[in-house]
Amino acid sequence: MKTSVRHLYHQYQDYQDKSITLMGWVRNNRAQKAFGFINLNDGTFFETIQVVYDDILENFKDIQKLRVGAAIKVVGSIVLTPKRPQPFEIKASVVELVGDSHEDYPIQPKRHSREFLRTNAHLRPRTNLFTAVFRLRSLLTAIIHEFFQSRDFVHVTTPLITTSDAEGAGQMFQVTTLDLNDVPKENKQVNYTKDFFGKKAGLTVSGQLQAEIFAQSFKDVYTFGPTFRAEQSNTLTHVSELWMVEPEMAFADLNDDMDMAESMVKYIIREILKRAPEEMTFLDKFVEKGLIKRLEKVLDKSFDRITHKEAIEILLNSNQTFENEPSHTKDLAKEHEKYLIKHFNGPVFVRDWPKDIKAFYMRLNDDKQTVAAMDLLVPGAGELIGGSQREERLDVLEKRMQEMNVDDTDLWWYKDLRKYGSTPHAGYGLGFARMLMYLTGVENIRDVIPFPRTPKHCDF
Amino acid sequence: MKTSVRHLYHQYQDYQDKSITLMGWVRNNRAQKAFGFINLNDGTFFETIQVVYDDILENFKDIQKLRVGAAIKVVGSIVLTPKRPQPFEIKASVVELVGDSHEDYPIQPKRHSREFLRTNAHLRPRTNLFTAVFRLRSLLTAIIHEFFQSRDFVHVTTPLITTSDAEGAGQMFQVTTLDLNDVPKENKQVNYTKDFFGKKAGLTVSGQLQAEIFAQSFKDVYTFGPTFRAEQSNTLTHVSELWMVEPEMAFADLNDDMDMAESMVKYIIREILKRAPEEMTFLDKFVEKGLIKRLEKVLDKSFDRITHKEAIEILLNSNQTFENEPSHTKDLAKEHEKYLIKHFNGPVFVRDWPKDIKAFYMRLNDDKQTVAAMDLLVPGAGELIGGSQREERLDVLEKRMQEMNVDDTDLWWYKDLRKYGSTPHAGYGLGFARMLMYLTGVENIRDVIPFPRTPKHCDF
């Protein structure tokens, strides 16, 4: 019967005394004189399965020559191997070549640098690390949908091409069908009436504003889709195309927002540890020692919650020398975040930020100096989540837009939401890749995204 | 206790003799002299709940004046109403205004045209039709992920910004950070080395080619993400930004592909009918009479499978006059599809299409004239799914690319997949919005997408 490595691993007892058929790829082939071993991976499971073949097989000599990377079909039966790390192997009665692998196959059974593998992004999912990481990525997708769907959140796909540049000032990609060799102009300026949408359009940096529309109808909603950044940043955490999760809740304030974020993070960790134990053990061993313990620790306690003001006090009273002086009017630097995480020995929400360094849509607090925003700082990843209660009062919103020079011509609908049944509402954004880095211990965002886009890099 | 309309509808018995708190929006307010009725919707459920208030409440006069669209908080208790269509209503002890609604609120309790509602895409989710449609859209998202995840398919996010234009010739949006008022040139041509990615880039029309990469590692994978079309089409079925589902399976041929597509369609229909009975009943009543019966009929039978050749024979022998003459070398016209669907009285796969009208990556059949492609035609929607077995033989693939003038410089990695452990593999594409139209009976694609993008339309 046809089966998969995944099923065999979890239920090999069911397959005893049965003829088994497996299709997969050779990870390694160790040929001896009268027998040999193939490590077979079929992509359904992180681990390989050991296939034993011997010289009774009529194509034994061909099998001995099977190269790493070749696609094969194996028919055989289970042999228990109680003394090995794995409880069984497959004794082959048939090994057939499906698709050969050239000698220059780049992914040989040895250690390859991550840089090398990035230039072979079409083959790196065939390595242990990336098999684990990208399977976790898929699982994380499923878990996030489950979390929100089981709480009656409505998923909404917000638009990616947009004409409103409220948040993206200077960081947006432009989208056009104009011929760049011959741009149509009027009064020496681009004539956008000739462009596909009849005006200047770009790729969105966030689905939040449109998610608010849906929250004002469905109460609890979430986006889970791509966003874009045209930043010229070459760091370990920046890419130009990234998926985000953005829940938005009507009749909710900043405390509800933090509650939801905390529940979500804990749910994700619990489910990942439960449903991918082999992958997590592997990552704990080879990528970040202590990974599982670090994550388990998060489950045990309530996340601390402090104001930005309190955070600055703690930093100022720390007797620590920082490169960046902590300030009540400024953002937290990475070094500050690290100190706070250590200080609280776990995740901590920092709330109520100075209004001048935050976005126009965040709700002005009664002190008129701060807004109801929050960042979640976590051990190992720094800022994991950023959110806020949104300004639901039309007059206050309009004043803030003026203060911050936000062009509101394309945001008439956003203001309408404050005219017709406005509610206190709140939401947050989670960078999907950031979450995956946090869960896997992988330090470069390019290694948790199948085909990352960064300045000058748009291959595959 | 705080609850939702959804919970009340399904478990109102649990809430009897309890004080209930609901937050939502006024859909209608019918004030009488000494009492009144509010139809409250809180977005968690398709239906409204009837709230009864009377003049014992100290703010009775204010409640009487509550306008349609206003956000309110209601505290009350359940009263059984056995003779009404609904089994209960809420007797209010508190009705509080949360957010007022201006008098000019566009969504009054009357019939609005779909055209009008499209220009109010920020408010239309507050109408019955769009509450139903967009809730189904969210449910469909969950069901599709469930279908594939429960079969061990790995979800992969394929890139949206791409430099390979293999499929999109002339239909791609360009993505750039160049200043269109002052495009840098060299030899009178755009100097793309100055652009963000160092070369010309655009928005993808399909994730398939990259999904093949993952299939050659994980065996069974699927994408579920946006794709783009810069077509100047203003039809009922074309938009510029659309989500697609693209499964891809290694060690699979065209029959496996059709099997999977048929399973998926049936699974989706079964789950939608089971999990959204109220929405489906509403759509059956107000959008397409007989909708549920049409869908249920699909569950009963195996989908027919014919070749393109057989399809043409059937059309030629039909004694029917078509505007487009059926031809063995041409695509099927809409009228042909309709005839075939009627002829088979249900869904039908058409396979083995003439190679010259199909894409370069489809597997050449032994007759050298046709490729192993399939379209699924279904009653009510025409072509719902298109797929193919992919060409796994490097030499044949290269020959086809030459024949069809496919520029392969940016597709070296695609050819590599045929060098290293190539396998017979197959996949298909499902337009997510198309599926939703099929399930809801809604005839304009602009009405199943929250914020549709079409030529000259990029609002919200």
Side-chain angles (χ1 to χ4, degrees):
Chain A
M1 62 195 298
K2 220 169 151 177
T3 183
S4 70
V5 173
R6 169 172 290 268
H7 285 137
L8 282 182
Y9 256 93
H10 291 133
Q11 289 140 269
Y12 65 92
Q13 288 92 343
D14 301 353
Y15 290 89
Q16 287 182 54
D17 312 315
K18 280 179 186 150
S19 172
I20 291 164
T21 303
L22 286 171
M23 319 285 272
W25 293 270
V26 176
R27 282 274 175 96
N28 203 358
N29 183 8
R30 286 161 292 138
Q32 312 283 332
K33 208 165 185 185
F35 60 92
F37 303 99
I38 289 172
N39 292 114
L40 179 81
N41 185 290
D42 74 348
T44 63
F45 194 59
F46 165 65
E47 303 273 1
T48 59
I49 241 171
Q50 177 149 296
V51 176
V52 192
Y53 58 91
D54 60 31
D55 57 6
I56 298 171
L57 301 178
E58 63 171 341
N59 62 338
F60 176 67
K61 277 186 197 314
D62 295 331
I63 302 172
Q64 282 183 305
K65 288 178 209 149
L66 282 176
R67 283 190 282 248
V68 175
I72 58 170
K73 175 183 171 182
V74 171
V75 182
S77 55
I78 284 188
V79 179
L80 298 183
T81 53
K83 281 176 188 168
R84 303 269 177 73
Q86 292 171 5
F88 66 94
E89 58 189 20
I90 306 287
K91 172 114 178 77
S93 55
V94 174
V95 178
E96 256 176 44
L97 180 66
V98 173
D100 201 3
S101 180
H102 286 220
E103 269 171 35
D104 60 355
Y105 184 54
I107 312 294
Q108 293 298 322
K110 59 165 193 169
R111 243 188 130 71
H112 296 285
S113 76
R114 306 251 179 107
E115 290 74 21
F116 172 78
L117 291 173
R118 259 171 243 146
T119 64
N120 284 286
H122 62 313
L123 301 174
R124 67 176 180 172
R126 305 182 185 186
T127 63
N128 286 345
L129 176 64
F130 289 98
T131 305
V133 167
F134 292 134
R135 180 168 283 283
L136 284 171
R137 189 175 164 101
S138 172
L139 180 59
L140 181 57
T141 299
I143 287 170
I144 288 169
H145 278 295
E146 278 170 33
F147 176 81
F148 288 111
Q149 294 273 343
S150 68
R151 280 160 185 74
D152 289 337
F153 278 61
V154 169
H155 178 255
V156 50
T157 54
T158 46
L160 306 179
I161 302 177
T162 178
T163 54
S164 69
D165 188 17
E167 274 210 276
Q171 300 192 351
M172 273 175 98
F173 287 105
Q174 190 168 348
V175 172
T176 183
T177 53
L178 295 177
D179 179 359
L180 264 54
N181 276 308
D182 185 19
V183 176
K185 298 202 178 169
E186 209 173 59
N187 301 325
K188 295 190 178 170
Q189 294 290 307
V190 180
N191 181 358
Y192 281 114
T193 64
K194 308 256 179 180
D195 206 348
F196 192 87
F197 294 110
K199 35 185 168 171
K200 191 176 178 180
L203 290 175
T204 191
V205 300
S206 161
Q208 178 205 313
L209 302 192
Q210 289 92 350
E212 286 184 54
I213 290 175
F214 265 57
Q216 292 302 93
S217 298
F218 290 102
K219 193 144 80 175
D220 295 331
V221 304
Y222 70 111
T223 73
F224 189 174
T227 60
F228 303 87
R229 305 275 187 286
E231 276 176 280
Q232 286 288 355
S233 304
N234 267 307
T235 75
L236 292 180
T237 53
H238 286 84
V239 283
S240 305
E241 185 180 305
L242 62 152
W243 284 61
M244 285 191 70
V245 180
E246 296 180 290
E248 190 71 34
M249 298 163 285
F251 302 101
D253 63 15
L254 194 65
N255 287 316
D256 299 317
D257 208 30
M258 291 188 286
D259 290 346
M260 189 56 67
E262 182 169 341
S263 301
M264 185 195 69
V265 170
K266 287 179 172 172
Y267 181 87
I268 288 172
I269 292 175
R270 207 176 293 118
E271 292 300 308
I272 284 281
L273 291 175
K274 194 165 74 187
R275 288 150 74 170
E278 292 89 355
E279 282 85 353
M280 294 307 289
T281 303
F282 167 80
L283 293 166
D284 191 303
K285 201 165 163 189
F286 292 105
V287 176
E288 181 190 328
K289 299 239 180 298
L291 171 69
I292 292 175
K293 215 169 155 189
R294 161 163 76 70
L295 293 171
E296 278 173 346
K297 219 177 120 193
V298 170
L299 298 175
D300 294 340
K301 55 178 276 191
S302 283
F303 297 0
D304 283 295
R305 300 177 183 197
I306 57 170
T307 64
H308 180 267
K309 196 175 170 191
E310 288 162 348
I312 299 299
E313 301 294 341
I314 290 166
L315 293 168
L316 290 173
N317 296 332
S318 66
N319 290 325
Q320 184 114 354
T321 321
F322 295 107
E323 273 187 49
N324 308 275
E325 180 74 6
S327 157
H328 283 295
T329 59
K330 284 190 187 153
D331 204 351
L332 295 175
K334 282 256 169 297
E335 56 179 337
H336 303 149
E337 292 178 359
K338 275 192 185 154
Y339 183 88
L340 291 168
I341 290 163
K342 212 173 159 193
H343 180 87
F344 286 100
N345 191 25
V348 53
F349 285 106
V350 180
R351 60 176 289 172
D352 300 328
W353 290 67
K355 67 172 180 171
D356 294 331
I357 59 167
K358 289 289 183 181
F360 74 91
Y361 52 72
M362 297 181 176
R363 192 179 194 279
L364 193 65
N365 286 325
D366 291 344
D367 63 14
K368 311 266 169 147
Q369 296 308 313
T370 60
V371 288
M374 62 87 164
D375 279 0
L376 174 61
L377 311 179
V378 295
E383 188 198 326
L384 185 66
I385 283 171
S388 69
Q389 187 171 339
R390 320 307 186 183
E391 185 54 75
E392 88 279 15
R393 298 160 297 187
L394 184 59
D395 53 337
V396 185
L397 179 71
E398 284 179 329
K399 205 168 152 239
R400 287 281 290 155
M401 287 170 104
Q402 275 166 22
E403 276 174 22
M404 303 188 76
N405 294 315
V406 175
D407 178 10
D408 66 353
T409 30
D410 281 319
L411 289 176
W412 59 272
W413 51 267
Y414 191 72
K415 292 194 288 185
D416 261 13
L417 297 179
R418 278 71 185 168
K419 275 176 74 179
Y420 306 120
S422 191
T423 71
H425 62 292
Y428 61 83
L430 167 74
F432 182 63
R434 181 72 68 97
M435 188 75 205
L436 200 55
M437 292 166 76
Y438 175 62
L439 292 172
T440 58
V442 170
E443 287 182 328
N444 192 324
I445 194 168
R446 291 165 187 78
D447 296 331
V448 297
I449 295 177
F451 308 100
R453 269 69 179 110
T454 54
K456 304 292 174 206
H457 287 97
C458 189
D459 311 312
F460 305 102
Chain B
M1 63 196 298
K2 218 171 154 178
T3 182
S4 71
V5 174
R6 169 171 289 269
H7 284 138
L8 283 182
Y9 257 93
H10 291 133
Q11 289 140 269
Y12 66 91
Q13 288 91 342
D14 301 353
Y15 290 90
Q16 286 181 55
D17 313 315
K18 281 180 185 149
S19 172
I20 291 165
T21 302
L22 286 171
M23 320 284 273
W25 292 271
V26 176
R27 281 272 176 99
N28 203 357
N29 184 7
R30 286 162 292 139
Q32 313 282 334
K33 207 167 185 182
F35 58 95
F37 304 98
I38 289 172
N39 292 114
L40 179 80
N41 184 289
D42 74 348
T44 62
F45 194 59
F46 166 65
E47 304 272 1
T48 58
I49 240 170
Q50 177 149 293
V51 176
V52 192
Y53 58 90
D54 63 28
D55 57 7
I56 299 170
L57 301 177
E58 63 172 341
N59 61 338
F60 176 69
K61 278 186 196 313
D62 296 330
I63 301 172
Q64 284 183 303
K65 289 177 209 150
L66 281 176
R67 283 189 284 248
V68 176
I72 60 171
K73 174 184 171 180
V74 172
V75 182
S77 53
I78 283 187
V79 181
L80 297 183
T81 53
K83 282 176 190 168
R84 303 269 178 73
Q86 290 170 7
F88 66 94
E89 58 189 21
I90 306 286
K91 172 115 178 80
S93 55
V94 174
V95 178
E96 255 177 45
L97 180 65
V98 174
D100 201 1
S101 180
H102 286 219
E103 270 171 34
D104 60 355
Y105 182 54
I107 311 293
Q108 292 299 323
K110 60 166 191 169
R111 244 189 129 71
H112 297 285
S113 76
R114 305 247 180 109
E115 291 72 24
F116 172 78
L117 291 173
R118 260 170 242 146
T119 64
N120 284 284
H122 62 314
L123 300 174
R124 69 176 180 172
R126 306 182 186 187
T127 63
N128 286 346
L129 176 64
F130 289 98
T131 305
V133 167
F134 293 134
R135 180 169 284 283
L136 284 172
R137 190 176 162 101
S138 171
L139 181 58
L140 181 56
T141 299
I143 287 171
I144 288 171
H145 278 295
E146 278 169 34
F147 176 81
F148 288 111
Q149 294 273 343
S150 67
R151 280 158 185 75
D152 289 338
F153 279 61
V154 169
H155 179 256
V156 49
T157 54
T158 46
L160 305 178
I161 303 177
T162 176
T163 54
S164 68
D165 188 16
E167 274 211 276
Q171 301 192 351
M172 273 177 98
F173 287 105
Q174 189 169 349
V175 172
T176 183
T177 53
L178 295 176
D179 179 358
L180 263 55
N181 276 309
D182 186 18
V183 176
K185 296 201 178 168
E186 210 174 57
N187 301 326
K188 295 189 177 170
Q189 293 291 308
V190 181
N191 181 358
Y192 281 114
T193 64
K194 306 256 178 179
D195 206 349
F196 192 87
F197 293 109
K199 36 185 169 172
K200 191 176 178 181
L203 291 175
T204 192
V205 299
S206 162
Q208 177 205 313
L209 303 192
Q210 290 92 352
E212 287 185 52
I213 290 175
F214 265 57
Q216 293 300 95
S217 298
F218 289 103
K219 192 144 81 175
D220 296 332
V221 306
Y222 69 111
T223 72
F224 190 174
T227 60
F228 304 86
R229 304 275 187 288
E231 276 176 280
Q232 285 289 353
S233 305
N234 266 307
T235 76
L236 294 179
T237 52
H238 286 84
V239 284
S240 305
E241 186 180 303
L242 62 152
W243 284 60
M244 286 190 71
V245 180
E246 297 181 289
E248 190 72 33
M249 299 164 284
F251 302 101
D253 63 17
L254 193 65
N255 287 316
D256 299 318
D257 207 30
M258 292 188 285
D259 290 346
M260 189 54 69
E262 182 170 341
S263 302
M264 185 196 70
V265 169
K266 288 179 171 172
Y267 181 87
I268 287 171
I269 291 176
R270 206 175 294 120
E271 292 300 309
I272 285 281
L273 291 174
K274 194 166 74 188
R275 287 150 75 170
E278 292 90 355
E279 283 85 353
M280 292 308 289
T281 302
F282 167 81
L283 293 166
D284 192 303
K285 201 166 164 189
F286 293 105
V287 176
E288 180 191 330
K289 299 241 181 296
L291 171 69
I292 292 175
K293 216 170 153 189
R294 161 164 74 71
L295 293 171
E296 278 173 345
K297 219 177 118 194
V298 170
L299 297 176
D300 294 341
K301 55 177 276 189
S302 284
F303 297 1
D304 284 295
R305 299 177 185 198
I306 56 170
T307 64
H308 181 267
K309 199 177 168 190
E310 288 162 347
I312 299 298
E313 301 293 343
I314 290 166
L315 295 167
L316 290 174
N317 296 330
S318 67
N319 290 324
Q320 182 116 356
T321 322
F322 295 108
E323 274 186 51
N324 308 275
E325 180 74 6
S327 157
H328 283 294
T329 59
K330 283 188 187 153
D331 204 350
L332 296 175
K334 282 255 171 300
E335 54 179 340
H336 304 149
E337 293 178 359
K338 274 191 186 153
Y339 183 87
L340 292 168
I341 290 162
K342 215 174 155 190
H343 180 87
F344 286 99
N345 191 25
V348 53
F349 284 106
V350 180
R351 59 176 287 173
D352 300 328
W353 290 67
K355 67 172 180 172
D356 293 333
I357 60 166
K358 288 289 183 179
F360 74 90
Y361 51 73
M362 297 182 176
R363 192 180 195 277
L364 193 64
N365 285 326
D366 290 345
D367 63 15
K368 312 266 169 154
Q369 297 306 315
T370 60
V371 287
M374 62 86 166
D375 277 3
L376 174 62
L377 311 178
V378 296
E383 187 200 326
L384 185 66
I385 284 171
S388 68
Q389 187 171 338
R390 320 306 187 184
E391 186 54 74
E392 88 278 16
R393 297 160 297 186
L394 182 60
D395 53 337
V396 184
L397 179 70
E398 284 179 329
K399 204 166 152 243
R400 288 279 291 154
M401 288 171 103
Q402 275 167 20
E403 274 173 23
M404 304 188 76
N405 293 315
V406 175
D407 178 11
D408 65 353
T409 29
D410 281 319
L411 289 177
W412 59 272
W413 50 268
Y414 191 72
K415 293 195 286 185
D416 261 11
L417 298 179
R418 277 72 183 166
K419 276 177 72 179
Y420 307 119
S422 189
T423 71
H425 62 292
Y428 61 82
L430 167 74
F432 181 65
R434 181 70 68 97
M435 187 76 206
L436 200 57
M437 292 165 76
Y438 176 62
L439 292 172
T440 58
V442 170
E443 286 182 330
N444 192 324
I445 195 168
R446 291 165 187 77
D447 296 332
V448 296
I449 295 177
F451 308 99
R453 268 70 178 109
T454 54
K456 304 293 173 205
H457 287 96
C458 188
D459 312 312
F460 305 101

